[in-house]
Amino acid sequence: MQNNTLNNIVFSVLDLATIKEGDTAADSFHNSLRLAKHTEQLGYSRYWVAEHHNMPGVASSATPVLIGYLAAGTNNIRVGSGGIMLPNHAPLIVAEQFGTLASLYPGRIDLGLGRAPGTDQVTAYAIRGENIRAGDTFAQDIQQLQQFFSADNSNGRVRAIPGEGLDIPIWILGSSTDSALLAAALGLPYAFASHFAPAQFLAAIDLYRNNFRPSGSLASPYVISCVNVIAADTDAEATQLATSLQQMFFGIISGRRRLLQPPVDDINDILDASELAMLQQMLGYTFVGGPEKIKDTMQLFLDKTKVDEVMAVSHIYDQDARLQSYKIFAEVMQGITMKLTV
């Protein structure tokens, strides 16, 4: 853990391949590739996509396929999962899929693993069937996955080909203290979903750091915090753009999920005070504003949390505004002014 500042912090991207109103999943994939190319130019470290199912506005369900598409269209940025919901899959299949990706794009593939189903319970049953309680064996499944990746498994009865002997970093993803303790016990890097589950974030990263056991994979704790970022040229413009994010999360809370909606002039016109209060509980780590406001609030966040890396997710309806948001965020994090065509 170090005292990170805006000039030395690692910064990355989380993408859900969100489908906006009026677009298709294909449009979303093309927009994701455009964003991946853009953020690679801007100096972002990694680009992760997340496994979700049965959500009309989220197209990243076939996560390894999308990772391959994004890796093929970029050159240097690391591409990976934020994450693969491991209980939905047999560890061998994950090892083979990511072994294939790592063979095609060596040194660029990350494997982030989560325990949640990435969907509702009915859909989880459709995915897992009689293996519905697979989350209970999450730790053992991670260790089995590590075994498949190990060169020592060359004499095993079951082998991951490709996958065996490849250096594929494994990350533990979480939104609770349980995941923190598991990441610490296994000596793996830890990525926390503070963009939608802020309540246990500080407690979880403290537990992770205090209980961390060095491993062959990692000598000291490493924390990524995923946060919502809506940046624009002015605070007022960013506030308006953020109303798409607010509508999206209210749809999750209320069970009325829709495609990503265009921004509105005033969120108070469509949500009342109690609904906005519920949103605030989920969106506690959301950074909205122009460059100066983003700079000030992000530095306060780094001072408080001492995270090693910040991963920005930006649910913005207009693609050009989304690209501009990531450009402004990169400028803030690097402390420089960059001139790139959006």
Side-chain angles (χ1 to χ4, degrees):
M1 183 174 63
Q2 57 184 329
N3 292 322
N4 283 333
T5 66
L6 291 175
N7 294 329
N8 67 10
I9 188 75
V10 179
F11 54 100
S12 298
V13 181
L14 177 68
D15 183 15
L16 274 63
T18 307
I19 308 172
K20 69 179 186 178
E21 188 71 46
D23 275 4
T24 65
D27 295 322
S28 175
F29 298 144
H30 298 324
N31 285 338
S32 290
L33 180 57
R34 186 181 173 198
L35 179 61
K37 290 174 179 285
H38 182 65
T39 51
E40 180 174 63
Q41 282 187 287
L42 289 165
Y44 284 78
S45 178
R46 64 188 93 242
Y47 194 108
W48 283 2
V49 291
E51 177 185 346
H52 291 283
H53 302 280
N54 197 30
M55 295 185 181
V58 176
S60 54
S61 53
T63 314
V65 179
L66 185 55
I67 290 171
Y69 171 67
L70 297 171
T74 52
N75 298 305
N76 302 305
I77 194 168
R78 297 193 68 90
V79 186
S81 59
I84 291 294
M85 301 298 108
L86 186 55
N88 292 347
H89 314 277
L92 176 62
I93 298 301
V94 175
E96 292 170 340
Q97 289 174 340
F98 277 78
T100 300
L101 288 167
S103 298
L104 290 169
Y105 311 104
R108 296 183 56 206
I109 302 300
D110 293 330
L111 175 53
L113 300 170
R115 177 164 43 195
T119 185
D120 58 85
Q121 289 301 310
V122 174
T123 308
Y125 187 79
I127 294 169
R128 300 179 186 177
E130 296 304 317
N131 200 32
I132 191 63
R133 297 191 62 85
D136 296 342
T137 60
F138 184 52
Q140 295 95 310
D141 288 346
I142 292 171
Q143 291 170 320
Q144 186 177 30
L145 188 54
Q146 290 176 313
Q147 181 64 33
F148 285 136
F149 285 144
S150 171
D152 295 337
N153 199 51
S154 59
N155 294 319
R157 293 184 62 189
V158 179
R159 301 170 62 189
I161 309 295
E164 186 178 289
L166 297 182
D167 181 19
I168 304 173
I170 292 178
W171 299 70
I172 301 296
L173 277 60
S175 57
S176 70
T177 54
D178 288 345
S179 57
L181 291 171
L182 177 60
L186 295 178
L188 293 173
Y190 185 45
F192 196 91
S194 37
H195 61 300
F196 71 82
Q200 296 191 51
F201 172 55
L202 296 177
I205 61 176
D206 280 347
L207 280 171
Y208 169 68
R209 288 166 175 157
N210 292 334
N211 292 278
F212 183 83
R213 299 175 185 172
S215 68
S217 303
L218 192 64
S220 58
Y222 191 97
V223 175
I224 290 180
S225 172
C226 187
V227 299
N228 299 292
V229 176
I230 311 290
D233 292 333
T234 67
D235 291 352
E237 181 186 355
T239 297
Q240 186 199 32
L241 292 174
T243 60
S244 295
L245 169 70
Q246 291 170 310
Q247 292 177 78
M248 176 184 177
F249 272 83
F250 183 71
I252 295 171
I253 293 172
S254 64
R256 298 192 293 271
R257 294 186 175 94
R258 298 185 293 169
L259 303 183
L260 186 67
Q261 297 298 300
V264 296
D265 290 335
D266 188 347
I267 194 65
N268 294 287
D269 292 338
I270 58 175
L271 298 179
D272 62 31
S274 62
E275 292 167 339
L276 289 172
M278 286 191 293
L279 279 182
Q280 184 55 41
Q281 292 180 5
M282 289 188 73
L283 300 177
Y285 292 108
T286 299
F287 299 85
V288 178
E292 287 303 315
K293 185 176 180 183
I294 295 292
K295 176 182 176 181
D296 292 343
T297 54
M298 183 54 61
Q299 186 60 65
L300 289 172
F301 173 77
L302 295 177
D303 292 342
K304 182 177 182 179
T305 64
K306 306 293 191 298
V307 296
D308 301 282
E309 185 170 340
V310 174
M311 183 167 278
V313 55
S314 301
H315 297 294
I316 297 174
Y317 182 82
D318 180 79
Q319 177 70 358
D320 287 338
R322 186 183 183 209
L323 297 175
Q324 178 69 0
S325 178
Y326 277 102
K327 178 176 180 290
I328 291 171
F329 189 63
E331 292 173 352
V332 167
M333 300 303 280
Q334 294 175 322
I336 60 175
T337 300
M338 306 179 75
K339 294 182 178 179
L340 288 180
T341 301
V342 172

